[in-house]
């Protein structure tokens, strides 16, 4: 079997793509409606004009992700086309190869810190080993994230070269001796983290990065500012695919984003091999 065949089998085995991904159809359609209505969480920092109606959103996601195209199909499993996933991983590899060739600077961040930090971190470390500066600005910066339940206190942290968000109002785990407790890693769709990171870079005298790696608001927030960005998005996350279709984001890989972190190692290995950046230090 070829590397592509092996990867396709892996995607199907772990339901990262295929005919029965964990995100059900009714969840997808709800998020498509929210995006069409301009819900801030669904927009992830975009302000698309003109707005897409729900039917146009479904057409977009059928084309870019491979979800079921029939609007009358409203309940049950939905699909991510594994061939679209692999094709996008190939495009992501090309983006990494071009960045490495010019020793471009990199910023990596994730709104899925417990799931995707390892994937983005593997790519960032490989680029760093190839001579690309990897920035980790704004560590420890506090901010308040708007949520449906009101603003919540958050701060930025770094996990394995990847910027993440931690909560200050949830249960804490003990810190190391002599250090404060560390807030729990928090999921987010917000573009605020990438905006804070880019502001901190500018304040330190750096120009914007040549590449942002990430998901959710990291992709959309960077793309809206004209910074090349690439990463992953699930079949219920319209905004990154809309940004890609509108030319704001370079590459978005359609992929189930809530699986066990170990499942994504085969994908990062594939990308780095295609980008001629393997072997690398794991």
């Amino acid at each position: 079997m070829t590397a592509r065949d092996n990867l396709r089998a892996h995607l199907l085995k772990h339901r990262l793509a295929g005919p029965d991904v964990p995100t059900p159809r009714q969840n997808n359609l709800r998020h498509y409606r929210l995006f069409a209505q301009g819900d801030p969480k669904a927009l992830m920092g975009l302000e698309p004009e003109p707005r897409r109606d729900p039917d146009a959103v479904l057409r977009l996601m059928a084309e870019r992700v491979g979800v079921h195209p029939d609007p009358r199909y409203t309940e049950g499993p939905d699909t991510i086309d594994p061939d679209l996933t692999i094709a996008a991983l190939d495009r992501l590899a090309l983006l990494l190869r071009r960045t490495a060739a010019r020793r471009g600077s990199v910023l990596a961040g994730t709104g899925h810190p417990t799931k995707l930090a390892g994937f983005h971190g593997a790519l960032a470390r490989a680029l760093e080993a190839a001579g690309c500066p990897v920035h980790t600005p704004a560590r420890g910066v506090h901010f308040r994230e708007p949520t449906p339940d009101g603003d919540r206190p958050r701060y930025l942290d770094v996990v394995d070269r990847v910027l993440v968000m931690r909560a200050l109002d949830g249960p804490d785990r003990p810190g190391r001796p002599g250090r404060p407790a560390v807030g729990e890693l928090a999921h987010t769709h917000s573009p605020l983290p990438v905006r804070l990171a880019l502001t901190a870079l500018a304040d330190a005298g750096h120009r914007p990065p040549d590449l942002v790696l990430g998901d959710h608001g990291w992709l959309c927030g960077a793309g809206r500012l004209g910074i090349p960005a690439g990463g992953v998005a699930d079949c219920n996350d319209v905004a990154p695919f809309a940004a890609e279709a509108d030319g704001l984001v370079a590459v978005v890989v359609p992929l189930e984003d809530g699986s066990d972190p170990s499942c994504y190692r085969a994908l990062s290995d594939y990308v780095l091999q295609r980008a001629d950046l393997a072997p690398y230090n794991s």
Side-chain angles (χ1 to χ4, degrees), residues 203-227:
D203 289 347
H206 296 285
R207 63 182 183 82
D210 296 296
L211 175 64
V212 170
L213 294 169
D215 45 64
H216 290 179
W218 286 89
L219 288 177
C220 296
R224 190 176 168 202
L225 294 173
I227 299 170

Side-chain angles (χ1 to χ4, degrees), residues 159-259:
V159 173
D160 198 16
R161 314 302 286 156
V162 180
L163 282 156
V164 297
M165 187 179 77
R166 292 188 184 272
L168 286 169
D169 56 350
D172 290 341
R173 61 181 175 85
R176 296 178 182 177
R179 296 187 182 181
V182 178
E184 292 294 321
L185 291 168
H187 172 272
T188 183
H189 287 187
S190 175
L192 279 175
V194 72
R195 292 173 184 168
L196 290 169
L198 293 171
T199 297
L201 266 183
D203 289 347
H206 296 285
R207 63 182 183 82
D210 296 296
L211 175 64
V212 170
L213 294 169
D215 45 64
H216 290 179
W218 286 89
L219 288 177
C220 296
R224 190 176 168 202
L225 294 173
I227 299 170
V232 304
D234 208 335
C235 56
N236 62 358
D237 292 331
V238 179
F241 295 106
E244 183 187 39
D246 293 341
L248 300 177
V249 169
V251 181
V252 184
V253 179
L255 184 69
E256 161 60 36
D257 63 11
S259 296

